[in-house]
């Protein structure tokens, strides 16, 4: 979480100074306080070793990543059911709380309504298409979460219901 800016040693002429970049990076750090000491060793008789306290306070966050923004179910016989998994990944460092999972329009459904996904883990949300009417259908899957960058996410759903095959037997009876 803390690193030097590439300067690890050098010579400073008497009466001058040297800028030393120190980089603080909170990426992938969990919430909390981080403490360290920056140690400077010198041949200065009056200073010798200098220890400078450094601290970083991190407020971590969840980060929702989707495997896709579009689920296409293709052609499906009327009254059939096809399920597809949508991977929801928490790429953040705090629990991802999905407080609402809703589907609008079309004949799509899911069993899940609330989820908690720990950091660095994934969940496969099963979305199903079960058409009872013929034709192309679109729907929207809406997820509301505690991801501060993207609290509301929408996934497009589409599929086409086609007639189931039928069979006619003639003659009706066989010997």
């Amino acid at each position: 979480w803390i690193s030097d800016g590439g300067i690890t040693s050098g010579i400073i002429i008497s009466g001058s100074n040297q800028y030393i970049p120190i980089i603080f990076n909170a990426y992938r750090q969990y919430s909390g306080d981080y403490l360290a000491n920056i140690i400077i060793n010198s041949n200065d008789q009056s200073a010798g070793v200098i220890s400078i306290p450094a601290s970083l306070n991190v407020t971590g966050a969840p980060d929702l990543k989707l495997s896709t923004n579009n689920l296409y179910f293709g052609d499906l016989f009327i009254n059939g059911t096809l399920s597809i998994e949508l991977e929801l990944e928490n790429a953040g460092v705090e629990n991802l709380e999905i407080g609402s999972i809703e589907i609008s329009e079309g004949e799509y459904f899911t069993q899940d309504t609330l989820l908690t996904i720990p950091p660095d883990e994934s969940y496969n949300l099963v979305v199903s298409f079960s058409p009872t009417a013929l034709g192309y259908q679109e729907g929207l899957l809406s997820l509301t979460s505690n991801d501060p960058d993207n609290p509301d996410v929408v996934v497009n759903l589409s599929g086409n219901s086609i007639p189931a095959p039928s069979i006619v037997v003639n003659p009706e009876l066989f010997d």
Side-chain angles (χ1 to χ4, degrees):
W1 66 269
I2 187 169
S3 63
D4 61 57
I7 298 174
T8 58
S9 65
I11 297 174
I12 302 172
I13 299 171
S14 179
S16 65
N17 57 44
Q18 172 68 49
Y19 169 76
I20 302 172
I22 303 296
I23 299 168
F24 292 78
N25 186 351
Y27 180 72
R28 305 290 300 154
Q29 296 298 125
Y30 291 95
S31 294
D33 292 320
Y34 294 83
L35 305 172
N37 287 312
I38 300 168
I39 307 294
I40 300 174
N41 294 306
S42 76
N43 63 352
D44 182 336
Q45 299 290 335
S46 63
V49 176
I50 301 170
S51 180
I52 303 169
S55 65
L56 176 67
N57 178 273
V58 176
T59 302
D63 186 15
L64 175 60
K65 301 289 183 196
L66 302 176
S67 57
T68 184
N69 288 326
N70 298 290
L71 290 180
Y72 178 60
F73 290 81
D75 290 336
L76 181 63
F77 293 130
I78 192 166
N79 297 318
T81 299
L82 177 64
S83 297
I84 297 177
E85 291 183 347
L86 173 68
E87 184 182 22
L88 311 176
E89 177 190 357
N90 181 2
V93 294
E94 297 294 329
N95 281 344
L96 175 65
E97 304 288 341
I98 298 179
S100 173
I101 301 172
E102 297 180 0
I103 294 179
S104 60
E105 303 176 31
E107 296 181 272
Y108 303 92
F109 66 92
T110 185
Q111 300 298 318
D112 295 299
T113 56
L114 303 171
L115 294 172
T116 298
I117 305 172
D120 294 320
E121 291 194 19
S122 297
Y123 181 83
N124 288 324
L125 178 70
V126 177
V127 181
S128 301
F129 177 43
S130 188
T132 59
L134 291 175
Y136 183 76
Q137 295 187 34
E138 293 180 330
L140 297 173
L141 168 66
S142 300
L143 304 170
T144 302
S145 74
N146 63 338
D147 179 341
D149 298 327
N150 215 1
D152 299 306
V153 177
V154 175
V155 176
N156 299 305
L157 309 173
S158 60
N160 189 42
S161 176
I162 59 175
S166 62
I167 186 168
V168 177
V169 178
N170 194 4
E172 292 182 19
L173 297 173
F174 291 95
D175 290 334

